[in-house]
């Protein structure tokens, strides 16, 4: 694969190539030489776009959440009730974590504990991204209370945060056990907590 010619494309190309490597090996397990070899980019060019490996890691996380939140917005803005949209989001999460495409795995699960102790800038980027996820879930839950499709408690933000934490935990357990059972269990618990039914 040849790296694109335009400067912004080269930067994005490096980030795109790095993501599956980080998903597979983690941040400390991937050296810059490996990333640059895979991207076919000289070392000098790397430091033109990223001042350090830490700033590179921060950029990877930022790019991940830009893509993730964009996909989330698309799922949560579909037609139908808020309950239907929320179900589509969690079904997409379950499918992405249990499918064969490793590139769709959750970068937060892979890097969260590792980089939060290594880098304040990467931790802050993770925190900002996860805050965006919770805020979107909270808005959809509130919309579901308004349209009558969800029977969630009044504090939509607290429910959203609890759900996100549960799904992150289930994703980690599914990864550890190599079994989708934790994700199936959290899907069932989510439906119960929100008062979801298959008809919605």
């Amino acid at each position: 694969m040849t790296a694109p010619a335009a400067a912004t494309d080269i930067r994005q190309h490096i980030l795109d190539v790095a993501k599956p490597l980080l998903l597979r090996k983690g941040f400390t397990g991937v050296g810059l030489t490996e990333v640059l070899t895979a991207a076919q980019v000289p070392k000098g060019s790397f430091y033109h776009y990223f001042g350090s490996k830490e700033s590179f890691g921060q950029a990877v996380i930022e790019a991940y959440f830009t893509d993730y939140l964009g996909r989330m917005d698309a799922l949560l803005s579909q037609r139908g009730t808020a309950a239907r949209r929320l179900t589509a989001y969690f079904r997409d999460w379950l499918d992405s974590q249990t499918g064969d495409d490793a590139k769709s795995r959750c970068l937060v699960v892979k890097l969260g504990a590792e980089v939060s102790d290594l880098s304040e800038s990467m931790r802050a980027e993770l925190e900002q991204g996860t805050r965006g996820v919770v805020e979107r879930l909270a808005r959809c839950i509130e919309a579901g209370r308004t349209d009558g499709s969800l029977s969630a408690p009044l504090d939509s933000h607290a429910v959203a945060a609890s759900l996100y934490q549960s799904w992150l935990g289930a994703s980690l357990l599914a990864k550890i056990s190599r079994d989708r059972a934790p994700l199936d269990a959290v899907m069932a618990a989510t439906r119960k907590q929100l008062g979801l039914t298959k008809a919605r």
Side-chain angles (χ1 to χ4, degrees), residues 159-180:
V159 174
S162 175
L163 287 174
Y164 186 57
Q165 291 161 14
S166 296
W167 277 85
L168 282 178
S171 297
L172 179 58
L173 289 173
K175 183 178 181 63
I176 291 171
S177 63
R178 295 185 179 176
D179 187 336
R180 63 175 283 156

Side-chain angles (χ1 to χ4, degrees), residues 30-99:
V30 175
L32 292 183
T33 299
E34 183 177 4
V35 173
L36 297 174
T37 299
Q40 297 185 353
V41 173
K43 194 169 186 178
S45 295
F46 176 87
Y47 287 107
H48 174 72
Y49 301 109
F50 311 102
S52 64
K53 187 180 180 185
E54 182 180 13
S55 65
F56 160 69
Q58 184 180 353
V60 170
I61 294 168
E62 181 182 15
Y64 168 77
F65 274 112
T66 296
D67 291 344
Y68 184 90
L69 294 176
R71 179 169 179 76
M72 189 176 185
D73 287 340
L75 288 168
L76 295 182
S77 63
Q78 293 176 352
R79 287 186 174 184
T81 63
R84 185 179 296 277
R85 300 195 300 272
L86 206 56
T87 299
Y89 167 72
F90 285 121
R91 175 59 58 187
D92 182 74
W93 186 328
L94 190 153
D95 291 343
S96 70
Q97 300 310 299
T98 57

